[in-house]
C-alpha cells in the first residue's frame, strides 16, 4: 500500500456535528441520500407515527436454550436479559477503575460469533475512497497488518444508549420499548488498537468522504419480522478522524469473543451502538449514509421531541450508580462507607452529591479518581444510619460541561439516555 497524502481537514466542533446531522436528515428526507436497509417510505411512516410507541419495532425475541454469549455468566455477577447480560453493580465493588473483562456487560443483537484472527480481513470500500470515478476500490487489512500500525491505548467506557431504561418505568411510570436495563449496561476498559484515522488515510480517503459505516460479522438482525441486515451504523467523518479506535486489546488481553474479537470499533463518549464489534468492513462514503441504527433506532421519539425524531444519538448522558445491590441492608448505629461511580459523555465529573435520606439532605462525595472525560470517577461517602426502616440512597453528578443530573428524565418511546437521579432502595435493620 502506498503512503496516502494527508486528507483535507474536516470540521471537528460539536456545533458542526449537530448542524451536519440536521443537514444530513434534510438531504435524506429530500431523497438525496442513500438509505441502506430502510426504505424511505418506511421511515416516513415511522416518522409520521413516531408518537405512538406501538408502531415502533419491538425488541428482538430472546433466544432460547443455548446462550448467545460465550463467557460464563455467574448469577452473582450478571443479570441475563435475552441475548444480553447486565453487570451487577455490587460485583464492581473493589474491582478498581477498569471493569475486568469477565465482568463487562454484553449487548448482542444476535449471537457472539467465534472468529479466527488469521482468516479475518477488514475491507474498506465505497465512494469516499480515492479511485477512478465509479470504480469500487476496496482495500483490505489483515489482523497482522493492523498490529503493525502505530498502536494507541486509551481508557473509555462503552455504555448502551438504553442503560438505566427501566427507571423510566419504575421512577416515572413511562412505558418504553427495549431491554429493561437497570444501571449495569456500562463498563470501562483500557482499549489498545490503531486509530481509525490512520487506517482511513492508508486506504486512500478522498476529500469528498462524509460518512463511514462499520459493519459487524455477527448474524443479520431480524426485528418485527423484518431482516435489517448486519449491525451497522454510520459515523460522521469528523468523529471517525478524531478519537475512534479499531481496538484489538481490552485490559491488556486480546478482545474476548463477546466483546468483538478480533477487532471492534471503539467510539469514545458516544452511545454503545457506535462501537461496532466483530467489524468486517467499513463503507467510506461521499454521501450521507443511513441504517436502521441511526433512523429507526437511536433517535429520540415521542412528546417533547421533534416530530421527525431527534438527530441520531451521539454522546452519552450523565449518570451515577452505587456499588450496591438493590435492597442492600445496613445496620442502625454502624458506620459504613458507600461507594459509587459517576460518568458523562460530555466531559469529566466535576462533583457528586449524595443523599441518604431519600433526597431531603445532600452531602458532597469524596472523589477517588482524577476526573477525566470518557470514563467514570469513583467516589464515596460515609453513612451511619440511625433509624431502622426502608429508605433510598441518591447520587447526583455534575460534569465539567455544566450538566447536572435532573430529578426527572425527559422520556422517549425507546427509553434512551436516562439521566435522572436514581433512587436506590435500601433497608436499615
Ligand atoms: N456487531 C455488533 N456490534 C455491536 C452490537 C451488536 O449486537 N453487534 N451491539 C452494540 C451495542 S447496542 C452496544 S451497547 C455495545 C456493547 O458492547 P459490549 O457487548 O462489548 O459491552 O456493542 C455495540 N456493537
Ligand atoms: Mo446498546
Amino acid at each position: 500500500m502506498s503512503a496516502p497524502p494527508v486528507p483535507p481537514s474536516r470540521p471537528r466542533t460539536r456545533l458542526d456535528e449537530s448542524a451536519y446531522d440536521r443537514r444530513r436528515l434534510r438531504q435524506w428526507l429530500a431523497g438525496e441520500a442513500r438509505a441502506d436497509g430502510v426504505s424511505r417510505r418506511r421511515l416516513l411512516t415511522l416518522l409520521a407515527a413516531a408518537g405512538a410507541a406501538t408502531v415502533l419495532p419491538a425488541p428482538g425475541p430472546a433466544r432460547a436454550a443455548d446462550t448467545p454469549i460465550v463467557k460464563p455468566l455467574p448469577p452473582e455477577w450478571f443479570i441475563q436479559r435475552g441475548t444480553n447480560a447486565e453487570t451487577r453493580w455490587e460485583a464492581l465493588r473493589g474491582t478498581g477503575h477498569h471493569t475486568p473483562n469477565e465482568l463487562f456487560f454484553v449487548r448482542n443483537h444476535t449471537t457472539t460469533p467465534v472468529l479466527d484472527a488469521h482468516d479475518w480481513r477488514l475491507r474498506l470500500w465505497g465512494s469516499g475512497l480515492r479511485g477512478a470515478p465509479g470504480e469500487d476500490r476496496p482495500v483490505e487489512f489483515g489482523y497482522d497488518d493492523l498490529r503493525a500500525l502505530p498502536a494507541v491505548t486509551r481508557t473509555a467506557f462503552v455504555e448502551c444508549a438504553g442503560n438505566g431504561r427501566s427507571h423510566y418505568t419504575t421512577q416515572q411510570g413511562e412505558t418504553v420499548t427495549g431491554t429493561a436495563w437497570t444501571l449495569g449496561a456500562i463498563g470501562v476498559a483500557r482499549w489498545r488498537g490503531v486509530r481509525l484515522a490512520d487506517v482511513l488515510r492508508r486506504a486512500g480517503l478522498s476529500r469528498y468522504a462524509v460518512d463511514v459505516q462499520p459493519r459487524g460479522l455477527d448474524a443479520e438482525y431480524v426485528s418485527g419480522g423484518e431482516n435489517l441486515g448486519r449491525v451497522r451504523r454510520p459515523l460522521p467523518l469528523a468523529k471517525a478522524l478524531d478519537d475512534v479506535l479499531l481496538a484489538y486489546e481490552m485490559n491488556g488481553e486480546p478482545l474476548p469473543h463477546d466483546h468483538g474479537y478480533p477487532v471492534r470499533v471503539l467510539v469514545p463518549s458516544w452511545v454503545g451502538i457506535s462501537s461496532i464489534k466483530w467489524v468486517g468492513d467499513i463503507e467510506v462514503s461521499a454521501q450521507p449514509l443511513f441504517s436502521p441504527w441511526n433512523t429507526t433506532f437511536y433517535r429520540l421519539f415521542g412528546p417533547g421531541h421533534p416530530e421527525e425524531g431527534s438527530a441520531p444519538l451521539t454522546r452519552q448522558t450523565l449518570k451515577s450508580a452505587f456499588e450496591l445491590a438493590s435492597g442492600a441492608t445496613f445496620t442502625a448505629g454502624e458506620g459504613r462507607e458507600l461507594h459509587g461511580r459517576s460518568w458523562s459523555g460530555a466531559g469529566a465529573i466535576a462533583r457528586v452529591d449524595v443523599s441518604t435520606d431519600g433526597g431531603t439532605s445532600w452531602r458532597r462525595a469524596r472523589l477517588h479518581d482524577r476526573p477525566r472525560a470518557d470514563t467514570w470517577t469513583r467516589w464515596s461517602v460515609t453513612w451511619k444510619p440511625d433509624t431502622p426502616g426502608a429508605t433510598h440512597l441518591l447520587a447526583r453528578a455534575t460534569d465539567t460541561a455544566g450538566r447536572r443530573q435532573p430529578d426527572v428524565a425527559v422520556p422517549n418511546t425507546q427509553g434512551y439516555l436516562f439521566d435522572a437521579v436514581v433512587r436506590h432502595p435500601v433497608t436499615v435493620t
Side-chain angles (χ1 to χ4, degrees):
M1 228 163 295
S2 60
V6 175
S9 63
R10 308 285 318 173
R12 288 191 178 211
T13 68
R14 287 177 174 134
L15 266 178
D16 284 347
E17 264 173 40
S18 61
Y20 169 82
D21 280 335
R22 280 198 303 277
R23 179 166 57 84
R24 190 163 58 163
L25 178 62
R26 276 201 312 272
Q27 284 174 322
W28 195 74
L29 290 173
E32 291 164 11
R34 195 158 50 77
D36 181 16
V38 202
S39 76
R40 184 157 174 275
R41 215 167 91 223
R42 174 161 161 73
L43 182 67
L44 291 173
T45 311
L46 285 164
L47 295 178
T54 46
V55 301
L56 290 169
R63 289 172 74 92
D66 60 330
T67 169
I69 294 173
V70 170
K71 70 183 176 185
L73 301 172
E76 59 282 17
W77 288 356
F78 290 103
I79 306 158
Q80 274 187 256
R81 302 194 185 279
T83 55
N84 317 299
E86 173 168 2
T87 304
R88 290 188 186 274
W89 267 91
E90 62 269 36
L92 293 181
R93 181 77 279 279
T95 53
H97 187 89
H98 297 93
T99 312
N101 293 354
E102 303 70 38
L103 272 170
F104 210 97
F105 86 102
V106 181
R107 194 310 189 218
N108 279 353
H109 281 72
T110 60
T111 300
T112 294
V114 176
L115 304 177
D116 184 341
H118 298 293
D119 306 337
W120 177 85
R121 312 288 294 166
L122 175 65
R123 191 166 160 269
L124 284 92
W125 58 281
S127 58
L129 294 183
R130 288 195 318 270
E135 179 193 321
D136 192 5
R137 184 182 170 279
V139 181
E140 287 199 351
F141 295 81
Y143 189 69
D144 293 338
D145 297 332
L146 284 195
R147 300 225 49 147
L149 294 178
V152 291
T153 305
R154 64 157 60 231
T155 290
F157 63 72
V158 169
E159 183 189 19
C160 190
N163 194 26
R165 175 183 282 128
S166 67
H167 301 295
Y168 277 113
T169 307
T170 56
Q171 290 196 175
Q172 304 186 183
E174 311 281 348
T175 303
V176 292
T177 58
T179 303
W181 305 108
T182 54
L183 285 172
I186 180 169
V188 165
R190 219 170 133 70
W191 308 95
R192 184 174 170 82
V194 299
R195 290 182 191 283
L196 177 56
D198 287 346
V199 170
L200 288 170
R201 282 170 185 140
R202 279 179 170 77
L205 189 64
S206 109
R207 73 180 71 228
Y208 303 111
V210 294
D211 273 352
V212 306
Q213 178 160 258
R215 179 165 53 172
L217 291 165
D218 41 340
E220 296 180 329
Y221 179 58
V222 177
S223 170
E226 198 181 341
N227 186 343
L228 302 180
R230 286 184 162 163
V231 178
R232 63 202 183 283
R233 189 177 200 245
L235 200 56
L237 192 66
K239 181 65 174 175
L241 293 180
D242 182 11
D243 57 355
V244 176
L245 298 189
L246 291 171
Y248 45 68
E249 272 181 26
M250 181 178 181
N251 294 323
E253 295 165 19
L255 282 185
H257 286 297
D258 295 309
H259 299 291
Y261 183 85
V263 176
R264 83 177 298 167
V265 179
L266 188 270
V267 182
S269 81
W270 282 32
V271 288
I273 185 61
S274 321
S275 295
I276 296 293
K277 303 191 276 188
W278 315 292
V279 59
D281 71 285
I282 301 177
E283 178 175 3
V284 184
S285 177
Q287 290 173 321
L289 295 175
F290 291 85
S291 89
W293 288 270
N294 76 339
T295 56
T296 315
F297 307 118
Y298 304 103
R299 285 174 184 251
L300 307 178
F301 291 100
H305 300 291
E307 211 170 271
E308 70 281 11
S310 70
L313 300 184
T314 59
R315 280 178 287 152
Q316 261 295 357
T317 186
L318 176 61
K319 292 193 191 69
S320 302
F322 288 90
E323 296 170 3
L324 276 179
S326 178
T329 56
F330 293 80
T331 309
E334 262 179 34
R336 282 263 295 270
E337 194 85 359
L338 300 175
H339 293 268
R341 307 180 188 213
S342 299
W343 62 97
S344 167
I349 293 301
R351 65 179 287 166
V352 179
D353 296 278
V354 170
S355 171
T356 50
D357 56 8
T360 308
S361 63
W362 294 83
R363 284 180 289 152
R364 197 159 175 168
R366 191 161 66 85
L367 306 186
H368 295 270
D369 290 304
R370 185 167 56 83
R372 276 186 294 150
D374 307 335
T375 187
W376 49 31
T377 298
R378 291 172 295 169
W379 45 258
S380 71
V381 294
T382 51
W383 184 37
K384 191 169 168 186
D386 42 33
T387 333
T391 185
H392 286 101
L393 306 179
L394 284 69
R396 187 195 307 276
T398 305
D399 68 21
T400 53
R403 298 194 307 187
R404 180 173 176 262
Q405 288 185 260
D407 293 326
V408 178
V410 177
N412 60 91
T413 55
Q414 295 173 100
Y416 297 129
L417 300 186
F418 186 86
D419 63 349
V421 172
V422 169
R423 303 176 63 84
H424 189 116
V426 296
T427 305
V428 180
T429 57

